[in-house]
Amino acid sequence: MRILEELYNGNIAEIQRKLPQEKKDLELDLYEQLKEKLDKDNLSLFFKYCEVVGERNSMALQDTYIQGLKTGILIGIECKDIDL
């Protein structure tokens, strides 16, 4: 039951997984480079694009998490019938 307590208390969350620092740094560097090259209108379009991509990625991560949890539960149900 410890895992359920940790999950309930918010100590386990897929969203907390960390991206390696070098990937964060590269992403930020590329973002800043692109921002500097865009005029005001294109910058606004770029920000809207980033927002839509972020929302889509968030939905995809949520769906993947839910599917993984469902799969894990099904594995647990099947394992209860295994004779060891």
Side-chain angles (χ1 to χ4, degrees):
M1 284 293 220
R2 182 84 177 126
I3 187 77
L4 296 178
E5 291 171 5
E6 292 296 319
L7 189 60
Y8 176 80
N9 290 325
N11 297 330
I12 300 172
E14 186 66 21
I15 198 69
Q16 293 172 344
R17 287 186 152 198
K18 298 205 182 218
L19 185 64
Q21 189 61 44
E22 61 271 5
K23 293 289 184 185
K24 288 181 185 178
D25 293 342
L26 177 60
E27 181 181 337
L28 182 58
D29 185 48
L30 292 171
Y31 174 82
E32 292 297 332
Q33 287 181 46
L34 187 54
K35 252 181 37 176
E36 289 174 12
K37 295 182 184 294
L38 297 175
D39 61 28
K40 186 177 179 179
D41 291 335
N42 287 324
L43 189 59
S44 176
L45 182 62
F46 173 64
F47 287 149
K48 287 177 186 176
Y49 170 79
C50 289
E51 185 176 323
V52 170
V53 168
E55 288 172 4
R56 182 180 54 79
N57 285 338
S58 179
M59 290 169 56
L61 285 171
Q62 181 181 28
D63 186 55
T64 300
Y65 179 82
I66 290 169
Q67 288 304 115
L69 183 59
K70 288 178 180 179
T71 300
I73 290 170
L74 290 173
I75 290 169
I77 290 169
E78 285 187 23
C79 288
K80 76 174 182 55
D81 295 328
I82 293 176
D83 291 328
L84 297 175

